[in-house]
Structure formats: C-alpha cells, structure tokens
Amino acid sequence: MSQDTPEFLLERHPNPVTPAERERLLQDPGFGRIFTDHMATVRYSADRGWHDARIGARADLSLNPSTLVLHYAQEIFEGLKAYRLPDGSATLFRPEANARRFRNSAARLAMAELPEDLFVASVEQLVRLERDWIPSADGASLYLRPFMIATEVALGTKPSTDYLYAVIASPVGAYFKGGGSAVTIWVSDNYTRAAPGGTGAAKCGGNYAASLQAQAEGAREGCDQVVFLDAVERRWVEELGGMNVFFVFADGSLQTPPLTGTILPGITRDSLITLARDLGMTVREEPYSIDQWQADAQSGKLAEAFACGTAAVVTPIGQVKGRKHGFTIGSGGAGEVTLRLKAALQDIQRGRSDDKHGWLHKVA
Ligand SMILES: *Cc1c(COP(=O)(O)O)cnc(C)c1O
C-alpha cells in the first residue's frame, strides 16, 4: 500500500437504511445498540503485509472454527467518537492518539502493528461516508470501534500470521442511563484486572473478560461500576473496568493513579490533566490507597471523585461500597470541579471553545 494517505476502496451498501428510518433510530440511540450501514476493513498477512483496504456493507464475519482469535484471544480494540460541530461539520477527537495506542496494544499482544496513518484514514473515511449518522443532540455522538483479530487458521500457540482490522460505527447517547448523575462503584477486593508484566496497559478484549465477574458482583451489590485495586498489595486504586479515575481534594488539587503498566493510558485522562493545568489546577499522578480514599472522604479532605473515558466522558462517583469499605463522596452528587472539567472537555469536542491544543481532527 502506498505511503501517501491511504485510500479505501468503496463499495456502497446496496440497501442502506432510509433517511426516515435513520432519523427515527437517532431519536434515542442508547449505547452500542444501533450500527451504521458500512464498515472499514484491512487485511494483513505475513507475506503481503497490509492490503485490501476497503469500506463496504457492514456484514457478518465468517470464521473457520480453528481461527486463532477464538482460542488464544489475540484481539485488541479502540474507542473514539465523531462529533457534530455547530456549523454542521464533523470532527474526530485526537484520533492520532488512538492510532498510537492501537499500535502499542498490538505490540503487547504480538500482533501486526497497523500503520498510524492507515488507522486514522480508516476512521476518517468511514465517518465521512456515514456523516448523516452523527446525532446532533448535546451529549450524543457517533462512536467508532476499530478492532483487530488474529485470523490464521491453526491451533498451535504462537502469534498469528494473519489479521483482520475493522472499524464499525454506532450512534450513541449517554453511556449511563442516569445521564450526568453520580454513580456508585464497587471495590473489588477478590478479583484483579491487571498484574505487573501483564496486559493492563493494552486495550484488549481479554482485560474486559477478566473484569466481568467483578462487574457482575458489583451489579448484584447495587453498584454501577467496579473499581480495581492493584494485584500485588490489593491496596492501591487503579481504575474502573473501562474508565480511569480522578480524585479532587478540598484544596482544589487533583490526583490520578500513575501509568505504571497496569492501567490503561486513557486519552480522556490525558486530556483532562492538560485542561486542569490550563485552568491553573495542580494535578498529581501519584498512587492513592483505598483506605486513604475512605479516610479522606470521611474527613472532608477529599471533595469529589470522577471516572473518565471516551464512552462515558466524565462521570461523578457519588458512593463507594465494598466488603470492607463504604463511604459517600462530598454530597454524593456531581461536584463542581468535576462538572467544570467535563464542560471544558465537551466545549472543545463540540467546537464551542478554542481548540488550542489542536485536538480536533475535522473530517467532513
Ligand atoms: C478505553 C479504556 C479507558 C479510557 O480510555 P479513553 O482513551 O479515555 O477512552 C480506561 N480504562 C480502560 C480499561 C479502557 O479500556
């Protein structure tokens, strides 16, 4: 494939959803239930490299039962959003950062590394084609899900020689049913999601598989999400199943756990650190223990806490529960600093404030 901006071969869907039906679907899209007409795909084989980049009708994948991904879980993914700007145009938010992370995830899982320009081109060209699927309601967007699977047909334990990369798109509303209200999280003290030397910093399906039992336990305890502690000491707060976590202190400073290899390096996390510093706030990337979190929430030293990620944006944490823990943060609702940072981020994503860091990537 040429080194210039890669062009995807376009084969339009013969029977796309009608405009009237699309409008109806976009009224209340929920999260991850509705998908657009097309998908982008690129193939990799050891002898041909990356090839066959195309955008075609979104369709079922047909896999031989011996396909490697079904047995040894060589699978990685990304999540990013396309937003509609006030002038009607469409933009992506920091897709180059997703492209880089996707390559890092591939390297950790011994998969072929997709060139970053090919990743960005796949997302850009799919969004350009599906631009009418971007909902315009505030808080709504078109969620893009790039992913890659090992497709070699074999049962030997080794890195696959063949891969399928694909991008699907899904119009979404708010991630949590309650919209912007605070969530309750469950402290998992028996399950961990990532250990030193493991795959915690890679965005792979296997990490999610490892988190689901804890998530189900949290749900039985009436919680919306799970917070994981480090696997060695079971003491340090790491992150939620699919979101990073921040603590806001009464003195106005912020803290978030450092990226030591067991935490997913969130692009929302990184953006919020920058925005908070722009606003003159102090941000520390330092470990914070669950016991300290409880003590500080009870003494009032800790004022707010929130989770963040592309899917759920910024979500206030109101309550924390566990077998050995139970406390309320602040008033149990959304805190002032949390809402201020959320607004600062969304104002950039929605084109309502100056994009001084060059994070917007206009596509159509
Ligand atoms: C994707 C993800 C996040 C959030 O990353 P963003 O780039 O902000 O969307 C956080 N934690 C985990 C485990 C994730 O998979």
Side-chain angles (χ1 to χ4, degrees):
M1 199 166 288
S2 94
Q3 288 309 107
D4 312 323
T5 303
E7 270 304 317
F8 280 64
L9 180 76
L10 174 60
E11 284 172 335
R12 280 181 186 276
H13 195 301
N15 304 301
V17 170
T18 63
E21 174 66 358
R22 185 173 58 231
E23 283 316 307
R24 194 187 66 76
L25 291 169
L26 291 180
Q27 291 305 310
D28 180 23
F31 191 92
R33 290 190 290 112
I34 296 165
F35 298 92
T36 68
D37 298 308
H38 298 89
M39 65 182 189
T41 52
V42 188
R43 298 256 169 199
Y44 177 90
S45 63
D47 50 341
R48 294 182 62 194
W50 294 100
H51 62 277
D52 205 11
R54 62 179 64 226
I55 293 178
R58 188 174 50 81
D60 292 351
L61 302 176
S62 158
L63 296 175
N64 183 295
S66 310
T67 303
L68 276 176
V69 65
L70 302 176
H71 302 275
Y72 309 123
Q74 262 187 310
E75 187 272 352
I76 57 171
F77 65 95
E78 270 303 326
L80 67 166
K81 285 174 170 174
Y83 304 89
R84 194 172 289 293
L85 297 180
D87 65 3
S89 65
T91 190
L92 291 161
F93 183 73
R94 306 186 69 185
E96 304 82 6
N98 295 93
R100 194 171 333 118
R101 188 169 66 189
F102 196 66
R103 248 169 38 112
N104 292 339
S105 297
R108 179 62 187 84
L109 273 82
M111 299 170 82
E113 295 175 36
L114 182 74
E116 292 171 28
D117 62 341
L118 198 49
F119 178 101
V120 173
S122 68
V123 172
E124 203 175 69
Q125 289 173 43
L126 184 64
V127 170
R128 201 169 287 144
L129 180 68
E130 304 285 49
R131 51 171 298 157
D132 292 341
W133 284 95
I134 308 175
S136 46
D138 206 28
S141 57
L142 183 64
Y143 184 78
L144 285 317
R145 168 54 60 84
F147 65 101
M148 181 162 65
I149 58 172
T151 52
E152 184 184 349
V153 175
L155 285 186
T157 316
K158 59 164 195 77
S160 178
T161 52
D162 301 86
Y163 295 91
L164 170 67
Y165 165 75
V167 190
I168 52 175
S170 173
V172 298
Y175 186 77
F176 291 112
K177 285 179 219 81
S181 59
V183 296
T184 298
I185 60 174
W186 175 252
V187 183
S188 180
D189 57 6
N190 48 350
Y191 303 112
T192 59
R193 78 171 272 287
T199 56
K203 207 166 173 76
C204 62
N207 289 343
Y208 279 73
S211 77
L212 295 178
Q213 173 110 324
Q215 180 66 39
E217 183 180 84
R220 282 195 298 277
E221 300 289 341
C223 297
D224 305 292
Q225 287 286 311
V226 171
V227 64
F228 289 95
L229 304 178
D230 78 289
V232 177
E233 296 182 62
R234 306 289 177 99
R235 182 174 166 216
W236 305 105
V237 179
E238 295 217 312
E239 63 169 320
L240 277 55
M243 279 178 274
N244 295 117
V245 61
F246 278 79
F247 310 98
V248 183
F249 294 85
D251 68 3
S253 66
L254 274 82
Q255 188 161 328
T256 189
L259 301 177
T260 52
T262 52
I263 292 179
L264 200 287
I267 295 160
T268 316
R269 173 189 181 280
D270 182 75
S271 305
L272 290 170
I273 290 174
T274 301
L275 291 177
R277 288 182 179 151
D278 284 353
L279 291 167
M281 299 174 188
T282 299
V283 187
R284 293 179 297 274
E285 293 182 69
E286 284 171 19
Y288 195 50
S289 74
I290 182 69
D291 292 339
Q292 194 66 46
W293 190 4
Q294 171 153 314
D296 290 347
Q298 287 169 346
S299 73
K301 191 177 166 206
L302 180 94
E304 308 174 23
F306 62 86
C308 68
T310 298
V313 196
V314 170
T315 302
I317 298 170
Q319 279 192 303
V320 179
K321 289 191 204 170
R323 260 179 284 276
K324 296 178 227 135
H325 299 91
F327 53 97
T328 299
I329 297 163
S331 61
E336 203 180 303
V337 174
T338 300
L339 292 179
R340 189 158 163 228
L341 287 170
K342 179 179 183 178
L345 179 66
Q346 290 191 313
D347 283 349
I348 293 179
Q349 291 171 334
R350 301 266 155 190
R352 291 187 294 249
S353 70
D354 187 23
D355 175 27
K356 73 174 190 184
H357 299 287
W359 287 339
L360 299 190
H361 184 108
K362 289 210 186 191
V363 291

